[in-house]
Amino acid sequence: MAFDFHADKQVYFNMQTDNANKYVIPFIEQSLKIEKGLRVLEVGCGEGGVLKAFLDKGCFGVGVELSMPRVELAHQFLEEYIEKGQAQVIGKNVYDINVDNDFEDRFDLIILKDVIEHIPDQEKIIHYFRSFLKENGKIFFGFPPWQMPFGGHQQIVESKLLSKLPYYHLLPRPIYKFILDRGDVSKGLVRELLDIKETGISLERFERICKKEKFGIIEKTLYFINPIYEYKFGLKPRKKIPVLGDIPWLRNFVTTAGFYLVEKH
């Protein structure tokens, strides 16, 4: 089911916009009012669905995306905002951007939704973002902990069996690769899933990195049922399970999404 959403980009774009309006923006607005003139940068913006929710509130938005086909779709979907100078979509590695040369000003808010778990060397990228932020700038992170049932993103594979099988991404790499290779999964997707196995992140590791890089956590919500599952599987969002959802390390296995808002010190 999730694979179908990713295949229909217009449906996926609309789903991301609605999800951002219903869950991401209200979470951020506990500490930062989303209003006209706010400067927002989304890293890994895809087709721009999340960014559109902020543009609709009058923000100035910049999306950065590595995949050029997705950049092209973002230009189509956000055409009216781009034409009036309210939005910009850049097809680059974020490390290739010079904030002083490429932008008129720094940002009030950076967004990484379902992105940080794909980035190697997360300490480096979080430190790097300091230069993009205004003095009181904030970053939103939304991501699935690696140990959760589908933390390996195996729900996107072509195999109906493997797309519904939880936790097997936690097996040792050779065994995991053996299963994928023999499970009707395309070679390109096998490489992608193995890359995610290397970059997946736990809640504890993320929080340690924030502390090390001097970012304070000002808002935090852990979900037992990820808000995006409302669209993909018809499941209502549900916050963490009491007690079990509070136990360090163990909570990663029963948390399908962590929402964090952090502020640089």
Side-chain angles (χ1 to χ4, degrees):
M1 184 181 298
F3 185 79
D4 291 338
F5 275 107
H6 285 276
D8 189 331
K9 296 303 183 183
Q10 182 66 65
V11 171
Y12 186 69
F13 174 87
N14 294 339
M15 179 184 73
Q16 291 287 356
T17 301
D18 192 55
N19 180 67
N21 277 317
K22 289 175 68 175
Y23 300 106
V24 175
I25 287 178
F27 172 80
I28 295 171
E29 286 196 316
Q30 294 177 103
S31 293
L32 175 65
K33 180 68 175 174
I34 305 302
E35 57 190 357
K36 184 176 181 180
L38 198 76
R39 291 180 57 83
V40 178
L41 170 67
E42 184 180 9
V43 177
C45 68
E47 296 78 22
V50 172
L51 193 61
K52 183 180 185 296
F54 292 84
L55 298 174
D56 287 340
K57 287 186 170 289
C59 300
F60 171 78
V62 176
V64 178
E65 172 60 48
L66 267 175
S67 168
M68 291 312 297
R70 301 186 82 182
V71 170
E72 291 172 9
L73 284 171
H75 278 110
Q76 294 176 31
F77 293 149
L78 302 177
E79 182 178 8
E80 63 176 293
Y81 304 96
I82 294 171
E83 286 184 348
K84 64 183 179 182
Q86 189 187 343
Q88 182 180 3
V89 180
I90 302 171
K92 274 188 178 182
N93 186 314
V94 69
Y95 284 122
D96 294 332
I97 292 174
N98 185 307
V99 68
D100 292 317
N101 295 336
D102 294 334
F103 304 122
E104 294 180 2
D105 197 2
R106 285 170 166 73
F107 294 90
D108 301 288
L109 176 67
I110 299 175
I111 298 169
L112 287 91
K113 184 178 182 296
D114 297 322
V115 170
I116 191 66
E117 73 274 20
H118 295 276
I119 298 177
D121 197 353
Q122 286 121 352
E123 294 92 339
K124 180 180 178 181
I125 194 71
I126 290 176
H127 178 81
Y128 182 65
F129 287 145
R130 297 184 70 87
S131 65
F132 284 72
L133 291 168
K134 293 183 180 180
E135 184 176 350
N136 295 315
K138 298 170 176 59
I139 310 178
F140 166 82
F141 293 93
F143 64 93
W146 167 246
Q147 295 90 347
M148 76 93 162
F150 293 91
H153 289 48
Q154 62 265 44
Q155 71 274 12
I156 67 173
V157 305
E158 302 93 330
S159 166
K160 290 184 179 180
L161 173 62
L162 294 183
S163 68
K164 295 178 174 61
L165 189 63
Y167 292 117
Y168 70 95
H169 63 290
L170 299 178
L171 292 167
R173 182 185 175 93
I175 299 174
Y176 183 46
K177 184 177 186 300
F178 178 86
I179 293 172
L180 294 173
D181 285 339
R182 284 153 183 79
D184 193 27
V185 181
S186 64
K187 290 183 179 180
L189 195 50
V190 169
R191 287 194 298 270
E192 180 180 343
L193 294 174
L194 291 175
D195 286 345
I196 294 171
K197 188 171 179 65
E198 297 300 318
T199 59
I201 188 168
S202 68
L203 300 170
E204 287 74 27
R205 183 162 180 270
F206 172 78
E207 293 178 9
R208 286 197 302 270
I209 292 172
C210 287
K211 183 177 181 181
K212 177 177 179 290
E213 299 302 331
K214 295 182 171 55
F215 279 95
I217 297 170
I218 55 177
E219 300 292 347
K220 170 181 168 182
T221 297
L222 304 182
Y223 284 95
F224 172 56
I225 297 179
N226 190 329
I228 206 71
Y229 291 175
E230 179 179 351
Y231 306 86
K232 294 185 175 183
F233 309 117
L235 300 174
K236 290 295 183 182
R238 180 178 172 186
K239 294 182 181 179
K240 65 182 180 181
I241 300 173
V243 182
L244 195 61
D246 290 317
I247 301 174
W249 186 74
L250 185 60
R251 62 184 178 171
N252 291 280
F253 292 85
V254 293
T255 300
T256 59
F259 277 17
Y260 289 86
L261 188 67
V262 306
E263 183 176 58
K264 70 173 185 177
H265 291 164

